[in-house]
């Protein structure tokens, strides 16, 4: 049996022309699509801003600048039938290569080798049936005026 623990995460919200860059995922148990920004776990001895820079480099192969903390969220959830608990540091940053903003999607790869596509989505994509996660992220982005 695995030990349940709280997982520290750092996510980065890239925004451009009223849209944000997110990974679309699917929970086969809930039969629900959801969206999450790029990022991942904070490693021991690493600050959350260092983690977000590393995660973006690992997942997208891209460098970022102007990293700034937007807020912290706590998320208690169930994914694929397994309970989870995360403390999430949410960041905003810019891609060093401005041409990235003109791409409709970006090929990405999780640390376990799983490929995914990150796409730009506007506020209309995020609904109760297809939420933006973690919980509270949509409200945080509205508060800091990154979503209209």
């Amino acid at each position: 049996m695995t030990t349940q623990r709280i997982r520290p995460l750092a996510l980065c919200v890239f925004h451009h022309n009223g849209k944000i860059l997110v990974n679309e995922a699917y929970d086969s148990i809930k039969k629900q699509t959801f969206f999450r920004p790029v990022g991942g776990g904070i490693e021991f001895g690493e600050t959350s801003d260092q983690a977000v820079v590393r995660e973006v480099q690992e997942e997208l192969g891209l460098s970022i600048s102007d990293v700034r903390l937007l807020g912290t969220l706590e998320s208690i959830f169930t994914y694929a039938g397994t309970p989870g608990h995360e403390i999430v540091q949410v960041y905003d940053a810019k891609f060093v290569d401005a041409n990235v903003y003109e791409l409709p999607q970006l090929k990405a790869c999780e640390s376990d080798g799983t490929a995914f596509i990150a796409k730009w989505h506007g506020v209309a994509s995020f609904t109760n049936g297809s939420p933006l996660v973690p919980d509270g992220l949509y409200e945080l982005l509205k508060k800091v005026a990154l979503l209209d």
Side-chain angles (χ1 to χ4, degrees), residues 34-87:
F34 61 93
F35 299 94
R36 193 188 95 163
V38 176
I42 301 168
E43 295 178 357
F44 184 83
E46 178 180 59
T47 63
S48 60
D49 61 324
Q50 291 169 336
V52 84
V53 169
R54 176 187 51 76
E55 284 286 340
V56 171
Q57 181 64 48
E58 288 176 1
E59 291 184 0
L60 299 175
L62 296 169
S63 297
I64 61 174
S65 66
D66 302 329
V67 177
R68 91 183 151 113
L69 181 64
L70 298 177
T72 302
L73 299 171
E74 185 167 12
S75 181
I76 299 173
F77 60 95
T78 301
Y79 171 68
T82 303
H85 187 170
E86 299 170 339
I87 304 294

Side-chain angles (χ1 to χ4, degrees), residues 45-146:
E46 178 180 59
T47 63
S48 60
D49 61 324
Q50 291 169 336
V52 84
V53 169
R54 176 187 51 76
E55 284 286 340
V56 171
Q57 181 64 48
E58 288 176 1
E59 291 184 0
L60 299 175
L62 296 169
S63 297
I64 61 174
S65 66
D66 302 329
V67 177
R68 91 183 151 113
L69 181 64
L70 298 177
T72 302
L73 299 171
E74 185 167 12
S75 181
I76 299 173
F77 60 95
T78 301
Y79 171 68
T82 303
H85 187 170
E86 299 170 339
I87 304 294
V88 185
Q89 298 288 88
V90 181
Y91 285 88
D92 174 32
K94 291 183 171 63
F95 288 112
V96 171
D97 180 357
N99 294 320
V100 172
Y101 295 102
E102 303 310 316
L103 300 172
Q105 61 187 34
L106 301 167
K107 291 182 181 177
C109 190
E110 295 285 358
S111 59
D112 67 2
T114 304
F116 69 93
I117 301 290
K119 295 181 183 177
W120 298 99
H121 281 272
V123 69
S125 296
F126 313 126
T127 66
N128 287 337
S130 298
L132 180 62
V133 299
D135 285 343
L137 180 57
Y138 181 88
E139 292 77 14
L140 174 63
L141 297 181
K142 295 280 256 184
K143 181 179 175 183
V144 297
L146 291 187

